[in-house]
Amino acid sequence: MMRVYPEIEPFAAGLLAVGDGHLVYWESCGNPLGKPALVLHGGPGSGASAGWRRFFDPAVYRIVLFDQRGCGRSTPDAGDVRTDLSTNTMPHLLADIEKLREHLNIDRWLLLGGSWGSALGLGYAQRHPDRVTEMVLFSVVTSTPAEHRWITRDLGRIFPEQWDRFSDAVPAAERDGNLPAAYARLLADPDETVRDRAARAWCAWEDALVSNLPGSGPDPRFEDPVFRMTFARLVTHYWAHDGWFTDGELIAGAHRLAGIPGVLVHGRLDLGSPVDVPWQLSKAWPAARLELVDEAGHGAGHGVGDAVISALDQFGASYHD
């Protein structure tokens, strides 16, 4: 079982107006005078659950969580087909992070990101290296076309039965193209039945990829129709555009992270993001240390979370407010 810190509640929370009609939910936990740290959740569209707070020593860290545009407690909800997603892009998210930092009067902060949150953290740090003290990233992705092709098409060689169902859920004319884009169109269909069927099919494929290890099971969040629709609409929207990163941008821009210490924690059995992704990143970012967890897959289980907490403890030990 993963070693985590005790449950805590926020000492402050609010909704920040970031433009385009969006209100972004944020909360601060732990020590108000502690080392600032920002949590970047995955998905896109997963939201920042309370479990993220427990990675940090609450006596040491001032922990900031926020729900990215359109998900969690932020509004409007991307799961509502009437919500315009054109103002929900990676550049918008990066601008939101800076507005939140300024709103909270934080000069510099540590970044903790998992899965999509790792790509978002890399994008932010490469644009604002002077605002980042350290980075701890796990289940690392860099949001390239090859990574999205791997997860939506190439993995069909390992899960052929599940992939056939995943592929067959889109119109035949679109099965050889950009599958996230095809799903995004279905999830914007005026017919609620069409949208629901697409969300279920997308989340069933996600489950197949991340529950491949013994003891793993379906993600219970996907049983909630509201979460399922919000998640599916956002992740397909972002993947259809490769996260709005140019191909290879985050590896090529890793030189901008010089001087920022980092720890990359990755499961060797991670099918959602093959090990060569963090491997190549670690080669391009000399200040980062790669920790591979042999029996772990995608997510914080099977020892990944323990390594993340150890890294955060190490960075927190040297902090003096």
Side-chain angles (χ1 to χ4, degrees):
M1 181 176 294
M2 181 169 62
R3 173 184 67 86
V4 292
Y5 283 98
E7 294 182 1
I8 54 175
E9 293 298 322
F11 62 77
L15 288 168
L16 177 65
V18 292
D20 310 306
H22 286 273
L23 296 175
V24 167
Y25 172 84
W26 63 269
E27 63 182 39
S28 295
C29 315
N31 181 353
L33 301 178
K35 178 180 177 64
L38 177 69
V39 168
L40 299 167
H41 66 69
S46 292
S49 66
W52 285 93
R53 307 168 188 163
R54 304 185 68 186
F55 286 106
F56 299 88
D57 183 342
V60 172
Y61 279 98
R62 176 185 176 186
I63 312 152
V64 179
L65 288 73
F66 80 107
D67 292 330
Q68 295 160 28
R69 285 193 183 203
C71 69
R73 293 146 291 187
S74 296
T75 62
D77 178 13
D80 186 335
V81 71
R82 297 168 296 182
T83 298
D84 177 16
L85 298 185
S86 68
T87 57
N88 198 324
T89 69
M90 184 271 298
H92 288 100
L93 298 187
L94 297 183
D96 293 349
I97 294 171
E98 267 298 272
K99 288 176 183 176
L100 179 59
R101 184 190 62 77
E102 293 170 355
H103 176 72
L104 297 177
N105 196 29
I106 291 173
D107 182 47
R108 303 171 71 220
W109 46 13
L110 173 148
L111 304 182
L112 170 63
S115 194
W116 158 252
S118 66
L120 185 59
L122 289 166
Y124 174 81
Q126 290 180 16
R127 288 161 177 77
H128 304 282
D130 56 326
R131 298 303 180 186
V132 179
T133 56
E134 304 94 2
M135 300 175 70
V136 179
L137 309 178
F138 67 95
S139 300
V140 179
V141 302
T142 57
S143 201
T144 64
E147 288 172 50
H148 296 144
R149 184 172 58 251
W150 162 263
I151 203 170
T152 60
R153 188 171 297 280
D154 298 344
L155 274 175
R157 298 179 64 185
I158 298 176
F159 300 104
E161 179 182 359
Q162 294 91 334
W163 190 83
D164 276 353
R165 290 196 292 266
F166 175 65
S167 175
D168 288 350
V170 305
E174 298 184 77
R175 291 173 192 163
D176 292 331
N178 184 325
L179 286 173
Y183 267 92
R185 286 188 285 273
L186 292 173
L187 290 161
D189 195 278
D191 188 333
E192 181 179 0
T193 302
V194 173
R195 298 197 304 273
D196 181 66
R197 186 165 55 242
R200 289 178 183 274
W202 181 273
C203 292
W205 175 244
E206 290 259 0
D207 261 339
L209 307 185
V210 300
S211 60
N212 60 301
L213 299 180
S216 300
D219 189 330
R221 297 177 300 174
F222 292 154
E223 297 175 6
D224 177 354
V226 174
F227 177 89
R228 185 171 62 231
M229 184 61 66
T230 299
F231 177 86
R233 283 203 79 206
L234 279 174
V235 74
T236 56
H237 173 64
Y238 273 80
W239 287 12
H241 297 89
D242 295 314
W244 281 271
F245 294 109
T246 59
D247 191 5
E249 173 182 338
L250 295 179
I251 300 293
H255 64 90
R256 300 189 183 97
L257 307 176
I260 300 176
V263 177
L264 310 175
V265 184
H266 205 85
R268 195 178 290 276
L269 304 180
D270 189 340
L271 295 181
S273 179
V275 177
D276 66 333
V277 174
W279 177 260
Q280 293 299 329
L281 177 60
S282 69
K283 290 171 64 178
W285 178 13
R289 180 178 80 250
L290 175 60
E291 295 189 15
L292 294 177
V293 184
D294 285 339
E295 297 182 358
H298 200 74
H302 300 271
V304 170
D306 292 315
V308 168
I309 291 171
S310 293
L312 292 171
D313 285 348
Q314 291 168 12
F315 287 137
S318 61
Y319 177 70
H320 302 285
D321 58 22

